[in-house]
Amino acid sequence: MKTSSDAPTWIDPFGRSIEYLRLSVTDRCDLRCGYCMPKKYTGFKEPSEWLTFDEIERLVRALARGGLRKVRLTGGEPLLRRNLTDLASRLSAVPGIVDLSLSTNATRLAGMASELKRSGVSRLNVSLDSLKPERVEAICGQNVLPKVLDGLQAAKAAGFAPIKINTVAMAGVNEDEIDDIVDYCDSQAFTLRLIEVMPMGDSGRNAQYLDLQGVRRRLQRRFGLVDGVVPGGGPARYLCRPSDGFSIGFITPMSQHFCATCNRVRLAVDGTMYMCLGHEDRYEFRALLRGNAGDAAIQQAVRQAILRKPERHEFRESPHKVLRFMSATGG
């Protein structure tokens, strides 16, 4: 990927440098994980509402000129977007973008891993909430565990490393499997990231929240872990094993928020930018992109959007504040 060292940096009102974009390429998903979207949800936006690849690339280029360095392709499930690898190739060539990653449920990863690697995707995050087929079906709406495991092996064979496993830890649902998932990731040389449920929409608020601070202390003792750092632009705080680098990350927006170091914004597939997961404030870019706006106008709109980024989320103070659900925002 090309780099640029002389671009100005986007700075929000609290002095944080915005270098990371979570880019949703679809609001659709082939699963129905309860903490992400309602199980019977069918109200997906029509494709005409989605940004085209040309529009996405133009906006990413505008962001990169102001300091954007990292882009993560998300959804919904991004591998459902037709010709996604073409978009990946275009974004990986944007001057200034030094890291292009992808989050996926891996149901389609087995057949796409090699092409994704060739297109410039450098890192993968894969959702895996259980190693038990019947529990995967209960959480996701269908038993896709064999597809996910096959996808992970294909990703390893394609040369992705490290591969990060995202596990949403839920009380009374999969908390009894955490050690088994740790052992699986250890055996496969995957980096595990345990995630607290966030109260986004009714689906998120109805999920079984589990405070991860006690889990962190227990796993630290069991595996002899110490504080560490794993490459990436995300919010996880990591524990690492010095002998071989095995790592467990903890994403704890509820029990220990990470807002002071937040360096990202999210762009939904319809061109809506969300400056914070915990706020409904947004900035609409689709009309600008389709209204022949010049580059200067796009740059000014980005600047205005970033200046609206709040200091922190209010998930604890106002758990009913966010009405949209996760898949409509971008993971």
Side-chain angles (χ1 to χ4, degrees):
M1 295 184 188
K2 301 175 183 178
T3 63
S4 172
S5 60
D6 57 353
T9 302
W10 301 118
I11 302 293
D12 77 2
F14 305 95
R16 296 169 298 198
S17 178
I18 307 304
E19 301 177 343
Y20 183 15
L21 176 68
R22 306 294 293 263
L23 172 61
S24 176
V25 296
T26 177
D27 61 356
R28 302 186 175 189
C29 189
D30 50 352
L31 304 182
R32 290 296 180 273
C33 301
Y35 53 79
C36 186
M37 71 166 69
K39 292 185 181 298
K40 296 182 179 180
Y41 182 74
T42 58
F44 297 107
K45 291 185 179 296
E46 294 298 320
S48 62
E49 303 292 328
W50 295 356
L51 295 187
T52 66
F53 287 179
D54 286 345
E55 291 165 343
I56 290 171
E57 182 183 355
R58 186 179 181 205
L59 188 52
V60 169
R61 284 182 178 275
L63 285 158
R65 285 193 292 270
L68 185 74
R69 295 292 173 262
K70 301 173 184 289
V71 176
R72 174 171 295 279
L73 302 173
T74 71
E77 170 47 49
L79 298 187
L80 293 177
R81 182 76 186 252
R82 188 165 57 93
N83 297 324
L84 178 68
T85 52
D86 292 344
L87 176 64
S89 295
R90 293 168 67 165
L91 297 184
S92 67
V94 171
I97 301 302
V98 299
D99 182 78
L100 179 66
S101 57
L102 180 140
S103 292
T104 177
N105 63 27
T107 61
R108 299 175 178 235
L109 184 57
M112 296 183 67
S114 295
E115 190 177 1
L116 287 167
K117 194 73 167 63
R118 289 193 298 270
S119 71
V121 176
S122 56
R123 296 185 296 111
L124 293 177
N125 285 14
V126 174
S127 297
L128 181 65
D129 293 331
S130 174
L131 293 169
K132 298 180 178 180
E134 68 280 4
R135 191 169 284 178
V136 170
E137 183 171 5
I139 294 171
C140 302
Q142 54 183 298
N143 175 25
V144 292
L145 183 60
K147 291 181 179 180
V148 173
L149 298 180
D150 287 347
L152 284 166
Q153 294 308 310
K156 287 181 67 174
F160 283 104
I163 295 171
K164 295 180 180 179
I165 301 298
N166 288 348
T167 298
V168 178
M170 294 169 281
V173 177
N174 63 352
E175 63 179 316
D176 61 326
E177 275 195 86
I178 288 176
D179 284 44
D180 290 340
I181 294 173
V182 171
D183 288 337
Y184 168 74
C185 291
D186 190 10
S187 69
Q188 296 295 319
F190 296 150
T191 296
L192 175 62
R193 305 192 325 159
L194 297 171
I195 305 171
E196 291 178 345
V197 171
M198 288 173 277
M200 292 190 62
D202 288 339
S203 53
R205 283 188 287 273
N206 292 332
Q208 293 87 336
Y209 168 72
L210 176 66
D211 186 319
L212 286 177
Q213 298 308 315
V215 175
R216 176 188 174 97
R217 290 189 291 271
R218 179 174 60 77
L219 293 178
Q220 185 171 17
R221 291 192 298 269
R222 178 191 166 192
F223 289 94
L225 305 174
V226 299
D227 289 339
V229 177
V230 172
R237 295 180 174 96
Y238 285 94
L239 294 174
C240 300
R241 187 166 56 205
S243 61
D244 60 4
F246 172 65
S247 301
I248 305 175
F250 299 83
I251 299 179
T252 54
M254 302 300 290
S255 66
Q256 187 181 23
H257 72 76
F258 37 80
C259 301
T261 58
C262 184
N263 64 345
R264 58 204 160 274
V265 292
R266 286 171 165 81
L267 186 72
V269 67
D270 64 357
T272 303
M273 182 175 286
Y274 296 97
M275 281 59 75
C276 176
L277 275 177
H279 289 259
E280 286 287 357
D281 191 23
R282 65 195 72 188
Y283 200 103
E284 307 288 351
F285 281 92
R286 188 174 71 240
L288 274 174
L289 292 166
R290 295 183 179 178
N292 298 317
D295 288 347
I298 299 294
Q299 292 282 119
Q300 181 59 24
V302 172
R303 185 173 294 106
Q304 291 174 359
I306 289 175
L307 287 176
R308 288 161 60 171
K309 186 171 174 65
E311 184 176 12
R312 62 184 299 272
H313 68 68
E314 297 176 349
F315 283 137
R316 282 200 175 276
E317 298 89 337
S318 303
H320 296 279
K321 184 173 184 176
V322 179
L323 301 178
R324 68 187 187 277
F325 41 87
M326 181 65 82
S327 67
T329 305

